[in-house]
Amino acid sequence: MSPEEINKLMSECANDAVSAASSEFDITLDHSPASVALVDKILLEYVERYHDKALEDEAVFTICNIYGAYVGEILKAQVGGSWIYDQTNPEAPSVFLQVGENTYAFAGICFERMVNDSKVSVNAYYEIALNNLKPNQH
């Protein structure tokens, strides 16, 4: 997948997240940094509403990828970066946002919150990434 293709795909996935949040939960995602906090709520809403169906492989893959793309696109708009399509494991390719020497697995952190530990916060991960990338303001 070319850099142009992966960037286009992730932008489209982010837009899918906006549509899904609106149609499923009547929650407005406006591409603002403040809206990242809503992703934490939305992920748990999927589990609450759909129970095990939300955690089926295909569903969780789609949910985590679109909301991971949404959060990543917000960070990318703030600090730059590019999406990397990693096929190291051909059976489970992954996508990371690379900013400088750092990579961020937003879909992975969404998965952690939905599947493994509801205390994991996508917003906190985003804030840490943002703070790591901002120049010191002292």
Side-chain angles (χ1 to χ4, degrees):
M1 191 174 286
S2 74
E4 294 79 20
E5 290 170 325
I6 191 66
N7 280 309
K8 182 176 186 246
L9 176 65
M10 297 311 281
S11 176
E12 290 169 355
C13 284
N15 289 332
D16 289 345
V18 172
S19 298
S22 177
S23 65
E24 291 286 329
F25 305 108
D26 200 27
I27 294 175
T28 301
L29 295 179
D30 62 4
H31 298 278
S32 70
S35 71
V36 172
L38 295 172
V39 172
D40 278 328
K41 176 181 179 182
I42 290 166
L43 295 174
L44 295 184
E45 290 281 335
Y46 272 105
V47 176
E48 191 174 301
R49 181 175 291 178
Y50 296 107
H51 307 286
D52 291 344
K53 286 187 182 220
L55 300 177
E56 290 174 0
D57 288 347
E58 194 170 311
V60 80
F61 174 83
T62 300
I63 293 165
C64 291
N65 276 296
I66 65 172
Y67 289 100
Y70 178 79
V71 176
E73 284 289 302
I74 292 172
L75 184 67
K76 187 176 166 216
Q78 291 177 280
V79 298
S82 57
W83 290 103
I84 304 297
Y85 186 68
D86 180 3
Q87 291 180 280
T88 305
N89 179 352
E91 292 183 22
S94 51
V95 178
F96 302 93
L97 181 66
Q98 183 170 11
V99 184
E101 295 183 11
N102 298 317
T103 56
Y104 299 95
F106 288 107
I109 201 72
C110 290
F111 181 88
E112 280 297 311
R113 181 166 178 83
M114 273 189 81
V115 177
N116 294 328
D117 184 354
S118 63
K119 292 182 181 77
V120 168
S121 170
V122 175
N123 190 54
Y125 183 81
Y126 160 82
E127 291 288 341
I128 290 167
L130 185 61
N131 288 331
N132 284 343
L133 296 167
K134 280 187 173 178
N136 289 336
Q137 299 176 343
H138 300 292

